[in-house]
Amino acid sequence: MGEVDPAFIQDTQHRPKLAVIEAEGIPLIDLSSANASNHVSQIADACKNWGFFQVINHGVPSESRRKIEDAARKFFALPLEEKRKVSRDEVNPLGYFDTEHTKNVRDWKEVFDLVVSSPAFIPASPNPDDKELKELINQWPQYPPDLREVCEEYAREMEKLAVKLLGLISLSLGLPENRFNLLFEESTNFIRLNHYPPCSIPHLALGVGRHKDSGALTFLAQDDVGGLEVKRKPMENGFELSPPQMLISSMNFTLIWLILLILNQVWSNDTYESVEHRVMVNSERERFSIPFVLSPGHHVWVKPLEELTKGEKPKYRAYNWGKFFVTRRRSSFKKLDVENLQISHFKVSE
């Protein structure tokens, strides 16, 4: 990434702590058990008290995960001019990008984005009166030649896991297992390949700044370098959690992180809460991760579910998912003069 650009430097209060405390007791859910009711209670506890958890024996073949990591490493090893042949932009936000911003600070990373179902459709603009839709089509590089095939294979496996976990989360809220299914019939699920190069200023920069993802669920596979930090709900003053690295295997890919996103927070009327998370950088080693983000169709209106607000006031105003998504995406491409859109903007006054 060349000489250090001041755009990478975090404000003092958001700079990483190089000495981190490894978390203990992070929920680890084994999906191989035949006791589904046990899964539901475990997930309910994890969602209420942590906002994230780990899953093992999840059914995603280790070979699929190995192949997508290998392809990602080959792609990011290409010369910059080759990667930029499939660059994303504000017209088509799919493909390669190395100047992404989070909360108006540049991230120390490069990414490759793709939608699971291509073509996909999102609103053409954030304007609420503009009904035009924009078609998103994946861009594929010439090398590695198998990138498309391995990404599509991995996507199919991750969608199976996402459907299973979404059903379990629904049951944990006391809802039918298929309660959310209709909302995802025209989903805008996407996969991101992340590469975090070694960083010369790990005390000043972040791979990804603090944020809450805008979809429903994020499933994160990462290598053995680590760097993910999550703010557990009771910890209001900082990121004190560093997932223990001994649980993560870059060869076996036995573990996947699952992070609740803001849609679950709104749908559950704050019964479950999305947690802020960020990524630290490493001064010596590069890091790779692969998030799969489960997101509904662009037409879906997001609001607290009536079944979960009986006898209490909804805590959020309804908003259109597609418009929310494209508004948030604007800040990925450049630094804005205003705060990016957050769900707190839809919070109903007490």
Side-chain angles (χ1 to χ4, degrees):
M1 290 190 173
E3 296 183 6
V4 175
D5 185 335
F8 287 112
I9 298 177
Q10 295 283 330
D11 290 341
T12 304
Q13 67 270 33
H14 300 306
R15 290 176 185 172
K17 297 178 182 179
L18 298 186
V20 295
I21 300 173
E22 289 191 348
E24 296 181 356
I26 295 175
L28 178 64
I29 298 174
D30 184 348
L31 294 179
S32 67
S33 170
N35 188 355
S37 61
N38 191 43
H39 292 159
V40 172
S41 61
Q42 288 177 327
I43 287 173
D45 180 72
C47 292
K48 287 178 182 177
N49 298 314
W50 292 78
F52 63 98
F53 53 92
Q54 306 161 104
V55 292
I56 58 173
N57 293 316
H58 39 66
V60 179
S62 59
E63 181 67 8
S64 294
R65 297 180 64 183
R66 183 195 63 77
K67 288 192 294 187
I68 194 171
E69 188 203 15
D70 287 349
R73 289 179 180 273
K74 291 175 183 177
F75 173 74
F76 287 120
L78 293 173
L80 184 59
E81 59 270 21
E82 285 298 313
K83 291 181 285 191
R84 286 183 171 170
K85 288 180 180 179
V86 289
S87 286
R88 75 180 210 194
D89 54 33
E90 294 186 60
V91 176
N92 184 7
L94 300 177
Y96 175 78
F97 200 58
D98 63 350
T99 57
E100 187 162 81
H101 289 66
T102 300
K103 294 190 182 294
N104 287 326
V105 181
R106 187 174 170 187
D107 298 329
W108 193 276
K109 69 180 181 188
E110 54 182 347
V111 306
F112 182 82
D113 287 338
L114 61 127
V115 288
V116 171
S117 299
S118 182
F121 297 91
I122 59 172
S125 78
N127 185 339
D129 297 322
D130 183 0
K131 306 302 181 185
E132 183 181 354
L133 296 178
K134 176 166 59 178
E135 182 179 20
L136 301 181
I137 300 177
N138 288 326
Q139 300 187 81
W140 299 105
Q142 291 185 337
Y143 185 86
D146 62 343
L147 181 62
R148 178 172 184 170
E149 179 182 349
V150 299
C151 284
E152 290 177 347
E153 175 187 333
Y154 184 73
R156 288 191 295 270
E157 297 296 338
M158 290 305 300
E159 282 198 312
K160 295 176 190 175
L161 177 60
V163 169
K164 181 174 183 176
L165 264 297
L166 191 65
L168 290 171
I169 289 172
S170 184
L171 289 170
S172 76
L173 288 166
L175 302 171
E177 186 174 4
N178 64 354
R179 173 61 179 85
F180 295 106
N181 289 10
L182 288 176
L183 304 178
F184 292 88
E185 282 193 341
E186 297 178 28
S187 61
T188 50
N189 305 335
F190 75 90
I191 288 175
R192 165 168 286 185
L193 309 181
N194 283 320
H195 175 227
Y196 302 91
C199 178
S200 58
I201 52 168
H203 58 299
L204 299 176
L206 287 166
V208 183
R210 74 199 192 286
H211 67 287
K212 294 182 178 184
D213 292 339
S214 57
L217 297 170
T218 287
F219 297 79
L220 179 70
Q222 62 175 346
D223 63 15
D224 63 334
V225 176
L228 172 67
E229 288 192 319
V230 185
K231 181 189 287 187
R232 188 180 176 186
K233 290 195 298 181
M235 294 182 172
E236 299 295 339
N237 298 321
F239 290 80
E240 302 294 340
L241 297 178
S242 177
Q245 298 310 309
M246 73 284 291
L247 293 176
I248 300 167
S249 169
S250 62
M251 296 301 294
N252 295 326
F253 283 123
T254 58
L255 182 147
I256 291 177
W257 289 90
L258 189 142
I259 302 172
L260 288 183
L261 306 187
I262 60 178
L263 294 187
N264 274 295
Q265 181 169 335
V266 175
W267 282 329
S268 71
N269 207 36
D270 282 351
T271 298
Y272 295 164
E273 184 178 341
S274 174
V275 290
E276 276 196 326
H277 50 287
R278 67 183 188 181
V279 175
M280 293 183 66
V281 285
N282 192 294
S283 62
E284 299 178 354
R285 298 180 64 187
E286 62 183 345
R287 174 181 182 263
F288 294 86
S289 69
I290 306 168
F292 170 96
V293 182
L294 179 70
S295 301
H298 67 85
H299 59 281
V300 170
W301 280 83
V302 181
K303 62 180 180 179
L305 298 178
E306 292 182 5
E307 304 100 302
L308 301 179
T309 54
K310 292 179 180 178
E312 65 177 86
K313 181 180 178 181
K315 297 179 180 180
Y316 296 91
R317 293 181 286 109
Y319 64 89
N320 176 263
W321 157 248
K323 294 294 185 181
F324 183 85
F325 175 78
V326 298
T327 302
R328 294 250 306 192
R329 293 287 280 192
R330 290 186 303 166
S331 68
S332 296
F333 294 95
K334 58 187 177 182
K335 184 174 182 178
L336 302 178
D337 296 326
V338 296
E339 180 188 17
N340 198 10
L341 188 64
Q342 308 292 331
I343 57 166
S344 59
H345 295 137
F346 298 92
K347 194 86 172 180
V348 175
S349 300
E350 296 292 340

